[in-house]
Amino acid sequence: MTIRPLAFLALALVARAAEPAAPNFSQWVHPGPDGKLVYKSDAQGNRIPDFSNVGYRGGGVALPDVPVQAVVEPAAGDAGARIQASIDRVSKMPADARGWRGAVLLKRGRHPIAGSIWLHTGGVVLRGEGQGDDGTVLVATGATQRSLIVLGGREPRPASDENGEPIERDVPYAARGLRHAIMDSYVPVGARILHLNDADGLAVGEEIVIRRPSPAAWIHDIGMDRIPPAEGKTVVQWKPGSKDLLFNRAITAISGRAIAVDAPLVNSLEGRYGGGEVVAAERDGSLREVGVENLRGDSEFSSSTDERHGWVFVEVVAVHNGWVRGVTSVHFGYSCVYVHKASRAVTVDSCSCLDPVSQITGGRRYSFALDGQLTLVEHCYARNGRHDFVMHSVAAGPNVFFDCLAEEVHADSGPHHRWSAGVLYDNVRIVPPRQASDRRRGDGALNIQNRGNMGSGHGWAGANQVAWNCTAYEMIVEQPPTAQNWAIGCRAVVHRGDAYWESFGRPVAPQSLFLAQLRERLGR
């Protein structure tokens, strides 16, 4: 069970008590006379997108209970080889009709691990008997910075480079050679229909990639080829082709040369910037039907600033339809869960990242970090982190953080750098250190902004992102050229920015946009 401190409950009660008797609806999304959601669009047709397709199997699908096929008891000495052998044995079992092979159950107690555990085959679940101190505790031993559990990908590697920038693991797709130009002069945010030069070779149900290019003209128009210099460090200007967005989608309908896809686009496609293309994609080798659940991870360390120890508890490298639920990490230096660019349709549910051990500076303490798309992080908690609910570079979206709380925060949450697109922060609460003397500027913030020359030249961090009924000590929400950002029903001590602000200081109805969208798509 996720830690739910009194502050979490108090904030929730205050939010509910503050709501007026008559619903305070947003002009951007509100129920119409028939109860269905009505969306306001701008002059080009851009609107707040439907975020309900995020998570395991496209959202709104219960996480499965996969039968146990192997059991590992705690024992003296390094448990890594015994756990890996059980995973390997279950991985060789035939998958059933649902794609499941079986779960490896780690019994209650402490399991020291000197290396890493690797889930390399779909249909396998790693399960414990509780995320508390008295549950199943995996202990990262030794003085090696590493990920403890890795899902998909190849060998575990550090999460970030020497500059604190995340290391990308795998490419999101492999092309089959079929490429189709998108003929629309403008495709707005929220759209699901594309008109192609032809639809030859495409089929309903097929997985595709929609590529939105990043030409020099676009980079110039948003000012990212002239990021101001910073004293004492190198600032990297954005290069043409380096910020392409790759949207993984499935075709739901074909009519002539028009196709419909299962989840909306969360960045516009503009003819003046090269439009876009649809690429028929091969199955990409990502794991399917894989999960980690009901576990606790702890990392040995030698001092409060030690960085040669467990770094990431669960690293989701290449997964399509997977989950991490009921997991707690303690003392890891980077994150509890890190979802990489080659992953999608992942649910992270009821997890906690507690008291990381590292220096408090760049490239550390990203409690729940997303680089992929169609990912749902819900009911999660962080304590003593920096960037707790954070997006990395050129994450295609949509992605959702729902009903999450971070306390004793030493930096800000939000998109961290270089144009991540289509994120919903829904009822997210960010609380700075309790002692004013421990606070620095920006601690306890939720920001969607141009970060300029921060890092190695982060620039515009996020586009087409929504903060809905969120609470933070500080909020900066800005409007990037060629895109939108929204802050609706939010509260903060300090706030600024030229985004679409609405009903500041007063929550709106529905309380959760994500749940309202999910309910409309699937019913109650």
Side-chain angles (χ1 to χ4, degrees):
M1 179 178 294
T2 301
I3 291 178
R4 301 276 183 170
L6 291 177
F8 186 106
L9 298 177
L11 277 167
L13 290 172
V14 169
R16 292 191 180 97
E19 292 219 19
N24 178 32
F25 292 125
S26 165
Q27 64 173 325
W28 289 99
V29 187
H30 59 269
D34 60 357
K36 293 185 177 180
L37 295 177
V38 176
Y39 292 83
K40 176 184 175 181
S41 298
D42 68 12
Q44 294 176 294
N46 299 294
R47 44 159 275 193
I48 289 176
D50 181 355
F51 291 96
S52 69
N53 294 98
V54 301
Y56 173 71
R57 290 194 181 182
V61 178
L63 299 181
D65 185 11
V66 178
V68 173
Q69 296 290 354
V71 177
V72 179
E73 298 280 353
D78 182 21
R82 291 184 294 109
I83 294 172
Q84 190 65 60
S86 294
I87 292 171
D88 295 346
R89 185 167 66 254
V90 174
S91 298
K92 295 176 181 177
M93 296 179 178
D96 64 16
R98 295 161 294 189
W100 303 341
R101 303 177 195 277
V104 175
L105 177 63
L106 308 183
K107 297 294 286 185
R108 191 181 306 275
R110 296 178 72 81
H111 300 256
I113 301 172
S116 300
I117 301 300
W118 184 26
L119 273 70
H120 51 76
T121 303
V124 179
V125 174
L126 187 64
R127 179 182 301 153
E129 291 190 320
Q131 66 185 121
D133 285 324
D134 58 350
T136 297
V137 183
L138 307 187
V139 182
T141 62
T144 304
Q145 188 182 107
R146 65 195 186 279
S147 299
L148 193 61
I149 302 172
V150 181
L151 280 63
R154 299 181 181 88
E155 293 299 319
R157 290 174 285 169
S160 56
D161 63 20
E162 63 274 11
N163 296 318
E165 304 292 0
I167 296 174
E168 295 183 6
R169 305 297 191 179
D170 293 315
V171 296
Y173 75 97
R176 280 204 288 117
L178 295 176
R179 295 177 179 270
H180 307 264
I182 296 170
M183 304 305 292
D184 303 272
S185 61
Y186 192 91
V187 180
V189 175
R192 294 174 184 257
I193 297 175
L194 302 170
H195 297 86
L196 311 180
N197 61 333
D198 67 71
D200 296 346
L202 299 178
V204 173
E206 182 175 7
E207 293 179 9
I208 60 171
V209 172
I210 302 168
R211 185 179 74 88
R212 186 261 188 188
S214 53
W218 173 71
I219 291 173
H220 179 77
D221 287 352
I222 66 171
M224 293 296 98
D225 57 353
R226 50 192 186 279
I227 301 170
E231 185 177 352
K233 62 182 179 180
T234 301
V235 173
V236 179
Q237 307 296 329
W238 294 12
K239 304 300 182 184
S242 67
K243 303 298 177 284
D244 292 4
L245 290 171
L246 304 174
F247 299 100
N248 292 95
R249 297 293 186 266
I251 298 174
T252 58
I254 299 177
S255 177
R257 294 183 298 174
I259 65 170
V261 294
D262 59 338
L265 290 182
V266 292
N267 203 102
S268 61
L269 307 179
E270 301 188 53
R272 60 176 174 153
Y273 298 134
E277 66 176 353
V278 167
V279 181
E282 293 180 344
R283 188 178 174 107
D284 57 14
S286 58
L287 305 190
R288 306 196 180 209
E289 303 299 327
V290 62
V292 176
E293 56 193 30
N294 216 24
L295 289 168
R296 187 180 186 89
D298 200 348
S299 175
E300 293 182 345
F301 60 94
S302 60
S303 71
S304 62
T305 58
D306 180 21
E307 298 193 336
R308 297 187 62 197
H309 64 97
W311 209 237
V312 176
F313 183 32
V314 182
E315 185 177 15
V316 184
V317 176
V319 170
H320 182 187
N321 292 332
W323 66 92
V324 181
R325 65 173 162 184
V327 159
T328 292
S329 69
V330 189
H331 304 139
F332 284 78
Y334 190 79
S335 67
C336 176
V337 182
Y338 184 4
V339 180
H340 282 273
K341 202 173 294 295
S343 293
R344 60 193 184 277
V346 173
T347 292
V348 180
D349 177 42
S350 301
C351 296
S352 296
C353 187
L354 306 180
D355 304 329
V357 172
S358 71
Q359 299 178 53
I360 302 180
T361 188
R364 285 89 168 159
R365 305 192 185 203
Y366 292 59
S367 304
F368 296 93
L370 303 186
D371 212 3
Q373 57 189 290
L374 297 164
T375 302
L376 169 63
V377 178
E378 61 177 354
H379 315 311
C380 289
Y381 174 71
R383 185 176 68 206
N384 273 317
R386 293 181 62 250
H387 305 299
D388 293 302
F389 307 114
V390 64
M391 299 301 308
H392 283 314
S393 174
V394 204
N399 292 288
V400 172
F401 294 95
F402 165 60
D403 185 32
C404 293
L405 169 66
E407 294 185 302
E408 297 291 320
V409 176
H410 302 285
D412 62 342
S413 282
H416 191 53
H417 63 135
R418 299 177 176 89
W419 207 267
S420 67
V423 182
L424 171 63
Y425 301 89
D426 187 328
N427 285 269
V428 171
R429 294 163 292 282
I430 311 295
V431 183
R434 290 181 175 84
Q435 298 296 325
S437 58
D438 294 335
R439 297 177 195 162
R440 299 175 301 176
R441 183 177 179 181
D443 288 0
L446 176 60
N447 294 330
I448 308 170
Q449 63 175 325
N450 184 352
R451 291 174 57 85
N453 57 24
M454 295 183 191
S456 55
H458 287 173
W460 280 109
N464 306 312
Q465 305 203 1
V466 182
W468 185 278
N469 285 344
C470 292
T471 302
Y473 182 78
E474 178 181 337
M475 290 187 71
I476 303 171
V477 185
E478 297 177 329
Q479 192 88 324
T482 76
Q484 298 73 189
N485 288 312
W486 293 264
I488 299 174
C490 296
R491 292 172 294 167
V493 176
V494 180
H495 76 287
R496 60 181 172 87
D498 59 352
Y500 291 131
W501 291 85
E502 183 185 36
S503 192
F504 180 77
R506 183 183 178 194
V508 297
Q511 180 65 33
S512 167
L513 175 61
F514 170 64
L515 291 183
Q517 292 177 327
L518 192 64
R519 187 179 301 118
E520 178 157 300
R521 182 166 66 85
L522 298 178
R524 288 193 174 274

